[in-house]
Amino acid sequence: MINRVKKKLENTELELKVLYIDNHGNGISFSNKIEFLIPGALRDEIVLAKPMKTINKKVYCKLTKVKSPSDSRIRVDCKKFIICGGCDFRQVNNAWLKDWKLQKLIQKTDSLNIQKKILPMTTSKKNSRRRATFSAHFQNGQFNIGFISKFGEIVVDLQTCKILEKDLLHLYRQLQYNLKKSINKNIYFKIQINLVHNGSDIVFDLPKGSYKEIFKIDNLISDLIPLNVLRVSFKEGKRIFSFPLHGQVRNKLGVLNNKTIFSFPPPGGFLQPTKSGETEIIKYVLSAIKGSKKVADLFCGSGTLSIPISENAEIICVDSNIDSLSGLKNGLKFYNKIDKNKVFHQNLLRTPLLSEVLKKMDSIVINPPAKGAFKQVKEIIKSSVKIVVYVSCNINSFERDAIILLNNGYELEWLKPIDQFPNTNHLEIVSKFNMVN
């Protein structure tokens, strides 16, 4: 039925009343028992919207006109807003968005009764995003690079992007102008770029074919070297071929014990999206475990938290990504700490680290993917470790796992919201739980 309705409504505009904004930032309206999602629309607005596609029996619409605007609406500062898919909000001011995210956090954690323990939110500044994955398309001599549109498989140009860090935006522009002369054949692919210390790290993610067939490698590398690209890699399925261009790829984490510390991410390795957000997360994690001599870092990645923690404690590091663990080992070796600490390759979502190991720790730091760590938290409560620091990028899975901790002798001391995606619906949190019973 929904597809028949959608087809009937194609190329038409609907007048809709927005009832509320969902957790993804979409304006929500109902008509004839059909739910309409309208990105960019605000509560109580009357809008004109064009149906574009269906998602889970909901009609996804493109906002074409605001007939009756909300008092909260401001002038949009980006012509590509909504179209490119990079932002959910640019039609409201920062205070409105901060309050919306805080209220969403409070509502989602209502069952935990922790509202009085939520600390003030920290928000990253505009043009501070230091990593991005771009879609690229080369077809008959024409080359496009950008984000995929919310309304179709269209690559949207990002020349005037308001969220990307200036050096990342500069590199994007250079690729846009120069990359096509190094491509041999028609192809869709992804380009992942991380800004790191003194340069950038690039991965070309190829869905099929060999990088040797797709690119003129000598031309490509010659173009990348002047752009201060430290390493270029080509991903073919599960295989990665890397070429170092300018020394070692390092991510500066800060200064501890009067020395600058770095992590060593692998090609395409995960970095926190903003430098300021990463600094805040490290600061609150270290504060939470202060005085601990033995720490477990679960879902440790390449060591964003492990390496700072290892400055003052022995640490067990566990992750399922072998490449990230290789980067972590490089970091521990660099600081002569590899013999004092343990690194395990283990999928904690399937096979959690057992309580027999965890109970020997003074603190546990857990930073799981968006789906959370239900099985691992079950082992944590068996261990009765005094301090648990939970870093999360998903409020829903955090709530589920936090309930387990709170129902088994733990008490939340504080929760710190950190907004590294200020124009989106995303929010990250760092929280500290203490064993009290």
Side-chain angles (χ1 to χ4, degrees):
M1 174 184 175
I2 194 76
N3 289 327
R4 292 199 303 270
V5 172
K6 189 260 180 183
K7 188 172 182 179
K8 182 178 179 180
L9 295 176
E10 281 181 348
N11 301 315
T12 64
E13 281 187 327
L14 302 176
E15 182 173 300
L16 299 169
K17 173 70 177 291
V18 180
L19 302 179
Y20 62 92
I21 300 175
D22 70 6
N23 291 328
H24 300 288
N26 300 307
I28 302 298
S29 180
F30 290 88
S31 180
N32 295 323
K33 298 182 179 180
I34 298 173
E35 183 175 352
F36 294 89
L37 285 71
I38 317 161
L42 298 175
R43 181 178 176 179
D44 295 330
E45 289 186 332
I46 298 175
V47 303
L48 296 180
K50 181 181 177 181
M52 302 296 291
K53 57 185 179 180
T54 57
I55 301 176
N56 297 326
K57 298 183 179 181
K58 301 173 184 178
V59 179
Y60 199 64
C61 299
K62 182 178 180 180
L63 177 65
T64 56
K65 184 178 181 179
V66 180
K67 295 187 68 175
S68 178
S70 164
D71 292 339
S72 301
R73 180 173 287 276
I74 64 171
R75 184 176 180 178
V76 174
D77 63 349
C78 178
K79 293 181 180 179
K80 302 296 175 66
F81 172 54
I82 295 300
I83 298 173
C84 85
C87 295
D88 300 310
F89 299 97
R90 297 205 77 88
Q91 77 283 38
V92 292
N93 61 35
N94 293 337
W96 185 98
L97 184 52
K98 189 173 183 178
D99 182 69
W100 181 80
K101 290 194 175 188
L102 183 59
Q103 291 305 314
K104 186 172 73 164
L105 174 62
I106 291 173
Q107 291 170 6
K108 283 291 182 180
T109 58
D110 181 64
S111 62
L112 307 180
N113 194 28
I114 61 172
Q115 286 70 33
K116 293 181 180 180
K117 299 178 181 180
I118 298 176
L119 302 178
M121 185 185 301
T122 298
T123 302
S124 297
K125 296 179 180 179
K126 70 175 185 178
N127 289 109
S128 61
R129 191 84 57 81
R130 61 171 177 162
R131 64 172 170 87
T133 299
F134 303 109
S135 295
H137 180 210
F138 182 79
Q139 183 77 27
N140 299 329
Q142 297 295 315
F143 180 66
N144 296 299
I145 176 175
F147 291 157
I148 291 292
S149 171
K150 283 192 174 186
F151 303 110
E153 294 300 311
I154 302 170
V155 179
V156 180
D157 176 76
L158 302 173
Q159 287 275 356
T160 58
C161 183
K162 308 292 184 182
I163 61 174
L164 299 181
E165 214 260 20
K166 64 178 182 178
D167 290 339
L168 181 53
L169 196 54
H170 173 72
L171 184 53
Y172 161 83
R173 290 168 179 155
Q174 294 302 311
L175 292 174
Q176 187 179 45
Y177 293 140
N178 299 320
L179 189 56
K180 67 179 180 181
K181 66 184 181 183
S182 298
I183 304 177
N184 290 320
K185 57 194 295 186
N186 296 341
I187 188 172
Y188 280 98
F189 59 99
K190 302 284 187 182
I191 305 175
Q192 181 179 340
I193 303 177
N194 286 341
L195 293 186
V196 291
H197 184 62
N198 291 333
S200 60
D201 186 24
I202 297 182
V203 177
F204 293 91
D205 190 348
L206 309 174
K208 58 183 179 179
S210 165
Y211 74 91
K212 295 179 182 179
E213 299 173 350
I214 295 168
F215 295 105
K216 301 179 179 74
I217 296 300
D218 291 342
N219 287 357
L220 177 60
I221 290 178
S222 296
D223 286 340
L224 294 178
I225 288 175
L227 300 177
N228 206 27
V229 176
L230 304 183
R231 178 175 62 197
V232 59
S233 304
F234 303 92
K235 184 177 181 182
E236 300 176 3
K238 294 183 179 180
R239 298 187 301 171
I240 294 182
F241 304 88
S242 295
F243 299 86
L245 305 182
H246 285 297
Q248 205 165 28
V249 174
R250 301 186 296 172
N251 174 40
K252 184 177 178 181
L253 298 175
V255 177
L256 276 177
N257 298 339
N258 297 317
K259 66 180 180 183
T260 302
I261 58 172
F262 297 89
S263 64
F264 296 78
F270 174 81
L271 294 181
Q272 291 296 336
T274 68
K275 175 55 68 175
S276 62
E278 179 181 76
T279 300
E280 283 289 280
I281 291 173
I282 293 172
K283 180 177 75 174
Y284 277 89
V285 169
L286 294 182
S287 171
I289 65 169
K290 186 176 180 180
S292 297
K293 297 303 180 184
K294 293 185 177 182
V295 180
D297 184 9
L298 309 181
F299 305 94
C300 62
S302 59
T304 300
L305 298 174
S306 299
I307 292 175
I309 292 170
S310 70
E311 283 295 304
N312 297 300
E314 292 183 16
I315 186 167
I316 294 177
C317 312
V318 190
D319 201 274
S320 62
N321 189 302
I322 196 70
D323 294 325
S324 293
L325 291 179
S326 177
L328 171 58
K329 289 178 181 178
N330 289 337
L332 293 174
K333 289 177 183 176
F334 185 82
Y335 295 106
N336 296 316
K337 295 181 181 296
I338 190 66
D339 295 330
K340 300 177 183 179
N341 302 287
K342 297 178 181 179
V343 178
F344 296 130
H345 177 228
Q346 187 168 321
N347 187 331
L348 296 172
L349 296 179
R350 290 202 303 257
T351 310
L353 198 62
L354 298 178
S355 59
E356 286 77 5
V357 178
L358 294 174
K359 67 183 180 182
K360 300 175 183 178
M361 302 294 107
D362 299 315
S363 299
I364 296 171
V365 176
I366 181 169
N367 184 9
K371 63 181 65 176
F374 179 79
K375 289 184 178 180
Q376 186 59 73
V377 172
K378 287 286 191 178
E379 289 298 320
I380 289 174
I381 61 174
K382 295 177 188 176
S383 72
S384 298
V385 169
K386 292 181 180 179
I387 297 172
V388 176
V389 183
Y390 196 123
V391 184
S392 175
C393 62
N394 186 300
I395 300 173
N396 293 321
S397 59
F398 169 78
E399 179 196 24
R400 180 201 65 205
D401 293 347
I403 288 174
I404 298 172
L405 292 170
L406 295 174
N407 287 342
N408 288 275
Y410 285 91
E411 182 178 78
L412 180 72
E413 182 175 334
W414 49 258
L415 183 152
K416 173 67 177 179
I418 300 174
D419 187 1
Q420 299 193 74
F421 298 91
N423 297 102
T424 74
N425 63 82
H426 297 292
L427 185 66
E428 298 186 59
I429 56 178
V430 181
S431 57
K432 181 183 180 183
F433 294 85
N434 298 311
M435 168 58 72
V436 293
N437 184 16

